[in-house]
């Protein structure tokens, strides 16, 4: 049984996208270092149910992990320009603490929020902007080596490697989701790169639902919608997790407005 599911970083954008879509589908243990107001919680939970803790706190994470079946680990510094001291603490140390506590508690699986920035240096001057367009066939599929474009991306590649280690050393099931660009209601406006890696709220919720329910060993998948304009393959997410995205940034103009029905 995968429930209850520990969701770290529950108060952030990705956490809220997940809870808005599948808040009633699981028994949740929500964790964030900031308290969550009641309007950010699934029906049936109140502010006192949220574990307010830092993911770098060994004792707090051991306590939060007790009895948990699966973990969705989102907490961290999401800024591509984040400085080293922040990603070292929040993203690398925090992720190691989460994996270690999960193994110690006998948790079965962990879904880790990795990022497009773990591979953003593949976007060379020679390849861009063509690779963001539909008529270009350059694709990354998750089997390539990390190639981070910034220290934040380095921290996400480190998280993926920590997941590999805890899978091999302790048998933990780990899926690393290289999330693209999550926005609500419409794709990023006037941003070709962002539209190629758009992840809609409902596809985000469905993808992490599959991460909670599916059986896997160690996986790296791309977390984007089924965008016509894309350079990340979603084949592995479909095959390993049963991901069935519904959205496509091509249904919107470059300015991010819905296209007229023809
Ligand atoms: N939003 C996006 O498009 C993308 C997000 N991601 C990753 O997804 C995860 C979530 O991102 P967002 O929701 O956008 O960020 P966010 O900043 O909106 O949410 C992060 C949440 O984690 C909490 N948090 C941060 N450090 C913590 C710590 N040390 N201990 C406990 N809680 C902590 C914050 O209080 C916040 O509520 C991050 O790991 C980010 O790197 C990856 C790619 C794209
Ligand atoms: O990992 C992340 O990536 C997205 C997209 O990157 P961007 O550089 O094209 O904006 C970013 O919006 C998000 O904050 C970050 O966590």
């Amino acid at each position: 049984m995968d429930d209850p599911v520990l969701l770290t970083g529950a108060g952030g954008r990705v956490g809220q996208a997940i809870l808005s879509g599948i808040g009633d589908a699981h028994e949740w243990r929500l964790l964030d270092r900031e308290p969550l107001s009641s309007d950010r919680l699934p029906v049936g939970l109140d502010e006192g149910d949220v574990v307010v803790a830092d993911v770098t706190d060994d004792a707090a994470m051991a306590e939060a992990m007790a009895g948990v079946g699966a973990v969705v680990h989102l907490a961290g510094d999401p800024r591509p320009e984040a400085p080293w001291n922040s990603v070292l603490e929040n993203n690398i140390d925090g992720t190691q603490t989460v994996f270690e506590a999960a193994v110690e508690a006998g948790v079965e699986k962990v879904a880790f929020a990795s990022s497009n920035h773990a591979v953003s240096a593949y976007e060379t001057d020679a390849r861009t902007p063509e690779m963001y367009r539909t008529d270009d066939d350059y694709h990354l599929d998750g089997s390539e080596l990390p190639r981070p474009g910034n220290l934040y991306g380095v921290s996400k590649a480190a998280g993926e490697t920590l997941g590999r280690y805890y899978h091999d050393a302790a048998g933990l099931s780990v899926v690393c989701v290289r999330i693209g660009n999550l926005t609500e209601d419409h794709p990023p406006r006037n941003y070709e790169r962002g539209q190629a890696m758009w992840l809609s709220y409902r596809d985000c919720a469905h993808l992490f639902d599959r991460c909670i329910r599916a059986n896997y060993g160690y996986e790296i998948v791309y977390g984007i919608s089924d965008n016509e304009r894309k350079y990340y393959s979603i084949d592995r997410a479909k095959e390993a997790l049963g991901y069935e995205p519904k959205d496509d940034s091509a249904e919107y103009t470059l300015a991010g407005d819905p296209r007229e029905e023809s």
Side-chain angles (χ1 to χ4, degrees):
M1 187 60 189
D2 301 317
D3 288 352
V5 180
L6 175 65
L7 179 66
T8 76
R13 292 168 294 174
V14 179
Q16 291 296 296
I18 293 171
L19 293 176
S20 68
I22 57 167
D24 59 359
H26 297 279
E27 183 190 336
W28 298 99
R29 186 169 300 163
L30 306 180
L31 182 146
D32 202 292
R33 67 179 172 190
E34 305 293 339
L36 269 70
S37 51
S38 56
D39 57 314
R40 313 187 75 146
L41 297 171
V43 175
L45 291 185
D46 65 37
E47 293 164 48
D49 293 323
V50 178
V51 180
V52 179
D54 198 296
V55 289
T56 61
D57 181 335
D58 295 327
M61 293 314 296
E63 194 176 332
M65 225 38 100
V68 160
V71 178
V72 176
H73 174 44
L74 309 175
D77 189 334
R79 297 171 298 162
E81 71 284 4
W84 180 243
N85 62 347
S86 179
V87 297
L88 181 61
E89 181 176 346
N90 294 297
N91 298 7
I92 300 179
D93 186 27
T95 297
Q96 190 273 337
T97 304
V98 167
F99 278 129
E100 182 75 28
V103 166
E104 284 301 310
V107 171
E108 189 186 329
K109 59 181 86 153
V110 174
F112 166 62
S114 185
S115 167
N116 62 89
H117 285 282
V119 288
S120 51
Y122 284 102
E123 296 165 45
T124 59
D125 289 346
R127 291 187 182 123
T128 56
E130 288 74 16
M131 68 186 280
Y132 305 141
R133 297 178 179 161
T134 47
D135 48 5
D136 193 277
D137 58 7
Y138 186 80
H139 273 61
L140 302 177
D141 65 7
S143 65
E144 61 281 334
L145 287 173
R147 198 169 163 189
N150 43 48
L151 293 173
Y152 163 73
V154 171
S155 77
K156 291 300 176 180
E160 293 179 358
T161 304
L162 284 163
R164 179 81 240 185
Y165 167 69
Y166 281 101
H167 170 69
D168 288 335
L172 186 67
S173 296
V174 176
V175 58
C176 304
V177 183
R178 288 179 177 164
I179 302 172
N181 193 323
L182 176 82
T183 56
E184 193 169 10
D185 299 331
H186 56 77
R189 296 189 191 278
N190 299 309
Y191 184 28
E192 283 189 280
R193 176 175 195 267
Q195 296 204 348
M197 62 168 72
W198 182 45
L199 179 62
S200 71
Y201 264 45
R202 69 172 164 175
D203 286 343
C204 178
H206 162 66
L207 174 56
F208 280 96
D209 192 46
R210 294 311 311 155
C211 291
I212 294 165
R213 294 181 193 274
N215 293 314
Y216 43 84
Y218 178 80
E219 295 288 342
I220 295 175
V221 302
Y222 284 98
I224 63 170
S225 287
D226 193 9
N227 306 315
E228 185 181 324
R229 173 207 285 274
K230 63 164 123 25
Y231 57 95
Y232 297 143
S233 169
I234 54 174
D235 288 352
R236 196 65 203 144
K238 289 179 172 177
E239 288 160 13
L241 304 175
Y243 178 48
E244 293 178 354
K246 290 195 165 58
D247 292 309
D248 177 352
S249 59
E251 290 163 4
Y252 299 79
T253 64
L254 186 60
D257 299 316
R259 289 189 191 282
E260 301 281 325
E261 297 281 328
S262 56

